[in-house]
Structure formats: C-alpha cells, structure tokens
Amino acid sequence: MPNSLRFALTPGEPAGIGPDLCLLIAREQQTHALICVASRTLLLARAAELGLQIELIDTAPDTWPTQPAPAGSLYVWDTPLGEPVITGQLSKANAAYVLQTLTRAAEGCMDGSFAGLITAPVHKGIINDAGMAFSGHTEFLADLTGTPQVVMMLATRGLRVALVTTHLPLKDVASAITTERLERVTRILHADLRDKFGIARPRILVCGLNPHAGEGGHLGREEIDVIEPALEQLRGEGMKLIGPLPADTLFTPKHLEHCDAVLAMYHDQGLPVLKYKGFGAAVNVTLGLPIIRTSVDHGTALDLAGTGRIDCGSLQVALETAYEMADSRITP
C-alpha cells in the first residue's frame, strides 16, 4: 500500500465539543493519516466521559505515520494544556494551548509534514479575555502564513458559496464592494478552484448586489458601475464568469446545475441558501492561503460537550473536502 498523506486536526476549545468530535470521528478509519494536535490527557478524560474506547497512538515529527490509523484509534501529537479541563467550562489558562495547537498544525502544513489542516471550533472571547488578540482562525492563519488576502467559502455537497464581503453591517456592504476588491476576491476563488479542487476551467456564477441585479440601474447602479466592469476585466483574463445575476433566481437548479461555485456579494445573501441545503453537513474553506484549511461550520457548543449528543456531519465533510483538495493538488 502506498504511503498515505498526513493531515492535522485541531480540536479547538478544549472545554467544548471539539475533543468529542475528534474521538467520535476516530471510530471510523480515515482514508489518510489524521493526526490530532491536542492534549493526550484531555482526550483520555473526554473519551472516558463519553464511554468511548479509542486507542490513542502517540506520534511526533520524528515518528510521523505513513498509513491511516485503524478504526477505533487516533494519532495524537501531544500538546500540553495550561490547566486541567472542566468540560463545558471556559478557562483563560488554556487560551495559549489553543493557539499552540493551531501554530503547530499550520507550521506542519508549511514545512510539508501535513497535506492540510482541519479545525474544530475555538472560542474567540476566552482567548481575548486571556490577553491575546484573536479575531478568528482565518485571520490567525493568514498572519501566520504571511497571506495578505484570504476569501471565505462555505461548501456542502453540491454547492460552494464564496463571499466578496463577510462580517460587515449591511449598511456598509455597498461601499465595500469596489472593482479592485471584486477582482481580487474572484482571482483567489478562481485560482483555488483550479489549483486546490482540480477544476481546469471553473464556472462561477456571480450574484448582483441589488434586487433583480439592479433592474438596469432602476434599483441601484452597483451592477453597472462596479460589478459588470470587474467581470469584463476578468473575462478578458480567461475566466468563465456568469452574471451579475439576481440572487433570488441564481440559487435555482437551472443555474446551479453546471456551476462550480457561486460568488455572493455579502454574508446573508449566499449563506442562508447554503445552510438550508446543508445545515450540519457544511464546511468552511479558507481560500488564498498557501495551505489547505477546512473547518466545521458550527461553534463550540459548551452545553453539549461530554454528552454524546452531537453530530459529526460537518467534521466529516470538512475532512472529505480537505482530502479531496489535497488529492486534486497531486493528481495531474
């Protein structure tokens, strides 16, 4: 059997459901070697709490595995906690631990130890409360890898949606959509669909900003003044871009059947449709990074940690997507 690719899995907030997800997913054998960058002590305690019999197999840079772990086992790169975890209770003492797992995993991707990184949810508030400025996984990884611009894309089976703007008040969206920004985001989306998903000539549907895509300027001129000129420029570079189309009709089978991704202008234009289609089985993909990074699409769920009443669907899709992206990268 040829050597397997290796992937890093970070469990995020130790008091939340991230450790549970790592243990639950280990019940099934993965197609690649999956290394959980986490505290062995934490995983042992959570497995006992959940009543799971999961064998933890120690690994480190000098003993990386070359094959997937058997079903019922999990590779662990032991990373010490700041203090023992009480399930469901946040602690500032473990904020540095969370960032250490991310740093180890990302640097492992950068040096070729790992083919990609899959992240479980972190709790931004407790990290900031501990005195460490942290606005999220995406920004942290962009800084760590020296990436000036990244793009947020969510995906579920049968649909990918990338965003021109992300977490902005609605009143600020129109002014944030400039020709330069739209061109930059579209280039990143197109490049990663080609280079990380193996799509030779991506077909991207582009939403208009206004109802009816502006109705010829009667419902807003952003399509005429900003979006259409940007798309024309990019089409001249060989990109296959359809739009701007009205968002209320773009998200229909007629249009989606032959597209590889949708580019939405703002958060609540594109993501409600995707989450309706794939809630609990969607994945967050950070485009533009020099590494592959996917994430679950939900939070830490402190109240569910240790109960066993959680769904691994989003983590499974995040794993499958990372594997797909890495396989596409190495397959001509």
Side-chain angles (χ1 to χ4, degrees):
M1 179 183 292
N3 287 350
S4 169
L5 295 174
R6 287 185 298 271
F7 292 81
L9 172 62
T10 56
E13 168 53 47
I17 62 171
D20 309 47
L21 290 170
C22 297
L23 292 162
L24 290 167
I25 211 75
R27 294 176 300 179
E28 305 293 331
Q29 183 170 355
Q30 299 297 311
T31 57
H32 292 291
L34 186 64
I35 289 87
C36 188
V37 186
S39 162
R40 178 184 176 86
T41 301
L42 167 65
L43 293 174
L44 283 172
R46 193 63 58 86
E49 198 169 352
L50 292 168
L52 291 175
Q53 297 293 321
I54 302 295
E55 179 187 5
L56 303 182
I57 305 171
D58 291 320
T59 189
D62 56 347
T63 59
W64 289 138
T66 59
Q67 299 298 329
S73 60
L74 179 66
Y75 292 122
V76 179
W77 185 7
D78 188 29
T79 305
L81 289 163
E83 70 175 21
V85 171
I86 300 174
T87 303
Q89 294 186 26
L90 298 171
S91 170
K92 292 185 288 186
N94 284 321
Y97 156 80
V98 173
L99 299 186
Q100 176 67 3
T101 63
L102 287 173
T103 300
R104 278 185 160 188
E107 289 179 346
C109 291
M110 295 289 285
D111 69 21
S113 297
F114 305 127
L117 166 61
I118 301 95
T119 61
V122 296
H123 193 287
K124 300 175 190 176
I126 198 66
I127 297 174
N128 283 283
D129 288 346
M132 304 171 193
F134 183 82
S135 54
H137 273 117
T138 301
E139 295 82 2
F140 182 83
L141 293 171
D143 288 343
L144 191 65
T145 59
T147 306
Q149 176 74 42
V150 293
V151 172
M152 178 181 178
M153 182 176 81
L154 267 74
T156 190
R157 293 178 180 93
L159 180 62
R160 303 182 184 101
V161 178
L163 302 176
V164 177
T165 63
T166 51
H167 301 119
L168 286 178
L170 194 56
K171 67 182 179 61
D172 297 333
V173 168
S175 60
I177 299 174
T178 63
T179 300
E180 294 75 17
R181 182 175 192 155
L182 183 53
E183 289 180 0
R184 186 168 63 246
V185 168
T186 307
R187 287 191 181 103
I188 291 171
L189 172 60
H190 184 272
D192 273 13
L193 288 172
R194 184 189 61 211
D195 300 337
K196 292 180 181 174
F197 286 89
I199 302 169
R201 194 177 179 211
R203 186 175 188 269
I204 300 169
L205 301 186
V206 182
C207 295
L209 173 65
N210 297 295
H212 301 180
E215 195 79 63
H218 296 288
L219 294 176
R221 292 193 54 85
E222 285 83 3
E223 287 77 12
I224 295 171
D225 296 337
V226 178
I227 300 175
E228 289 177 358
L231 299 187
E232 278 304 304
Q233 170 66 32
L234 296 167
R235 290 186 190 108
E237 298 173 13
M239 297 186 197
K240 193 168 185 180
L241 306 172
I242 298 88
L245 297 174
D248 64 342
T249 54
L250 179 153
F251 287 103
T252 56
K254 171 187 172 182
H255 291 292
L256 294 177
E257 186 178 0
H258 301 295
C259 92
D260 298 301
V262 172
L263 183 59
M265 293 296 120
Y266 58 95
H267 187 281
D268 281 13
Q269 182 182 59
L271 297 194
V273 180
L274 183 132
K275 292 196 174 187
Y276 176 77
K277 177 177 173 61
F279 189 73
V283 55
N284 187 339
V285 184
T286 305
L287 305 178
L289 292 172
I291 65 174
I292 289 169
R293 181 260 171 162
T294 66
S295 177
V296 296
D297 71 340
H298 56 73
T300 55
L302 295 166
D303 59 322
L304 295 178
T307 68
R309 302 194 307 271
I310 60 172
D311 188 338
C312 295
S314 183
L315 178 58
Q316 186 58 50
V317 177
L319 291 167
E320 291 171 2
T321 302
Y323 299 161
E324 173 194 350
M325 291 170 72
D327 289 339
S328 297
R329 270 184 143 179
I330 63 174
T331 302

